[in-house]
Amino acid sequence: MVDEVGRSEKRRRLLSARFTVYFVLAMCLFPQADYLEVLRLVKTGDPGLRPWTGVNKSSLTRARQRLGWTVMRELFRAVARPLGRKDDLFRGLRVLALDGTLLAVPDSAANNDAFGKSGSQRSPMGYPQARVVAVAECSSHAVLDAVIGGFKESERIVSDALHTHVGSGTLLLADRGLWGLARWHRLRDQGTHLLRRIERRKARRVQDVLPDGSYLARIEANKHSKAAGTVKAPPALVRVIEYRVDGHADIVRLITSLTDPEKYPAAELAALYARRWEIELVFDEIKTHQRGRPVLRSQTPDGVRQEIYAHLIVHHATRDLLDEAARLHRSTAERTSFTRALHVVRRTVISPSGFSPLRPHTGPAPRAGRDRPQSVTPPPPP
């Protein structure tokens, strides 16, 4: 991966690009530790490493700068894959959720220029914030794709760069803040089915009422769009599902590309839409349990992007471990503890028999039931 993005060294270095990748991952795995402590923990996991003299925070910072952030992005795209099983599908479709979140970054001049912060230009408030828009698999909580933007950038605009794992055989759930007719057509052209909430003033032109109470409607581009000079998207025929949640007077209004009421009943789609909130749990796992600190540590925009993609890699690897444990114990990944799995991963890294960042792993694969860490065992079913 380092060679593919042109980050291999022209001369041999003590802090090689390959080692720096592992160091950045360890940095995200131990967010409360400083650079030298992270280096000590990596050294603990491989007692065979020779003593490193002259390595300090500055040299580790320069190693991160040489590595850049695109290596971590491509590594994330290489490892990110769906983890759900066939019985997690909704009538043959893999259910994904799309949403965004904000991550506070250090208040340096470079980060402020690149990402921006809340408040006005005269009275900015708080820390600069990076906006992360991601697609996650609802059943396994695995993040499949993510794009990083700034605080001032719209989630809708940032989400247009998402393309991995979204296509034929998937059903994408999204909230009304991510609506866009051109975006609808683009995703449909890729084969993606859509189920999303929408404002009540849209899709009011009823074409046909279906047996289950849903109806087909025509939705058109906004005639008063401020995007001057842009070609308006053509109309789309969508299926509208309206319902109320117990205890709430407001009507929830969904539109979907699944227009067959017999194959995709309205009641099932309404219940399924509640799974959109699974991505909020994914963000909580990363921001609260894994990151463990309110602000990222990188002082530069490239460092911030590198750190965010490293966090996504660590999260996916932890979720992969949970998925394997769930398969062994015939449970589901949703019922296992992410925090407990994170502790197992951390202990594995600092174990003297753990994986070495400088030598490829050539030993046999862990065997189910003996070598797999037992502390990941999910709770018994009720």
Side-chain angles (χ1 to χ4, degrees):
M1 190 60 64
V2 172
D3 294 336
E4 291 176 5
V5 297
R7 289 294 178 175
S8 56
E9 294 90 352
K10 295 181 180 179
R11 62 185 178 88
R12 188 172 182 180
R13 296 178 181 273
L14 183 61
L15 297 176
S16 65
R18 185 172 184 267
F19 177 83
T20 306
V21 168
Y22 284 98
F23 174 79
V24 174
L25 294 176
M27 181 185 76
C28 295
L29 195 56
F30 301 98
Q32 302 295 348
D34 60 28
Y35 276 17
L36 295 182
E37 176 64 11
V38 172
L39 188 65
R40 187 192 69 80
L41 292 171
V42 173
K43 175 68 171 63
T44 302
D46 189 358
L49 291 177
R50 65 182 184 278
W52 289 2
T53 58
V55 175
N56 53 33
K57 181 179 178 180
S58 297
S59 57
L60 290 167
T61 299
R62 289 193 297 272
R64 287 189 60 195
Q65 292 171 347
R66 288 194 302 270
L67 182 68
W69 68 275
T70 55
V71 172
M72 306 308 294
R73 182 191 63 188
E74 296 307 311
L75 180 59
F76 166 69
R77 289 178 175 176
V79 302
R81 60 183 179 86
L83 301 176
R85 291 170 277 189
K86 288 185 178 180
D87 52 4
D88 295 325
L89 301 179
F90 171 75
R91 296 184 174 267
L93 298 173
R94 187 178 303 280
V95 182
L96 312 177
L98 168 67
D99 208 348
T101 189
L102 293 169
L103 296 175
V105 302
D107 195 2
S108 66
N111 283 344
N112 191 29
D113 291 341
F115 301 110
K117 58 174 67 173
S118 61
S120 65
Q121 187 173 2
R122 290 186 177 182
S123 302
M125 300 171 58
Y127 288 94
Q129 298 185 81
R131 186 180 300 280
V132 181
V133 181
V135 172
E137 187 178 36
C138 292
S139 61
S140 67
H141 288 189
V143 179
L144 306 182
D145 197 8
V147 182
I148 302 170
F151 174 78
K152 301 293 185 181
E153 296 178 78
S154 166
E155 285 185 352
R156 291 176 293 177
I157 303 302
V158 176
S159 69
D160 286 339
L162 295 168
H163 56 83
T164 306
H165 298 291
V166 176
S168 179
T170 62
L171 174 60
L172 185 63
L173 314 181
D175 200 10
R176 52 192 166 191
L178 289 161
W179 163 252
L181 186 55
R183 195 167 298 108
W184 176 281
H185 284 296
R186 179 177 59 82
L187 290 168
R188 289 297 298 125
D189 290 342
Q190 297 176 12
T192 309
H193 279 292
L194 302 164
L195 176 64
R196 57 178 60 202
R197 193 170 180 179
I198 198 168
E199 299 173 359
R200 293 192 62 185
R201 59 188 177 87
K202 296 185 183 294
R204 301 307 301 177
R205 299 189 177 185
V206 179
Q207 303 290 311
D208 189 19
V209 178
L210 302 176
D212 61 357
S214 61
Y215 58 90
L216 300 179
R218 189 181 181 198
I219 188 167
E220 297 181 346
N222 186 357
K223 296 180 180 179
H224 306 287
S225 174
K226 297 181 180 180
T230 59
V231 178
K232 291 186 178 180
L237 185 67
V238 301
R239 181 180 172 200
V240 182
I241 301 171
E242 296 181 338
Y243 62 96
R244 281 190 175 92
V245 178
D246 292 343
H248 297 272
D250 294 340
I251 295 177
V252 178
R253 199 157 182 270
L254 307 178
I255 59 172
T256 181
S257 60
L258 301 172
T259 57
D260 188 344
E262 293 185 3
K263 189 174 182 181
Y264 307 103
E268 292 186 12
L269 290 173
L272 180 69
Y273 182 73
R275 302 212 65 185
R276 189 193 70 80
W277 292 99
E278 297 289 345
I279 196 170
E280 300 293 346
L281 300 178
V282 173
F283 292 147
D284 178 69
E285 290 170 357
I286 296 173
K287 295 171 67 174
T288 303
H289 303 287
Q290 179 178 300
R291 187 179 59 170
R293 54 192 295 164
V295 183
L296 297 178
R297 66 171 92 206
S298 303
Q299 299 289 330
T300 66
D302 283 358
V304 167
R305 297 183 183 98
Q306 181 191 78
E307 188 175 353
I308 290 174
Y309 278 114
H311 269 295
L312 293 173
I313 295 169
V314 170
H315 180 268
H316 195 281
T318 307
R319 272 287 153 198
D320 200 357
L321 174 66
L322 276 172
D323 181 70
E324 176 112 8
R327 291 174 191 270
L328 291 174
H329 297 280
R330 297 181 182 180
S331 181
T332 62
E334 296 172 276
R335 300 187 59 187
T336 52
S337 170
F338 176 81
T339 304
R340 187 184 301 176
L342 201 57
H343 292 330
V344 172
V345 174
R346 286 169 176 159
R347 289 199 301 268
T348 302
V349 169
I350 63 177
S351 171
S353 59
F355 182 76
S356 169
L358 295 183
R359 294 190 299 270
H361 180 66
T362 57
R367 282 183 284 179
R370 193 183 75 173
D371 298 327
R372 175 64 58 182
Q374 294 302 308
S375 55
V376 194
T377 303

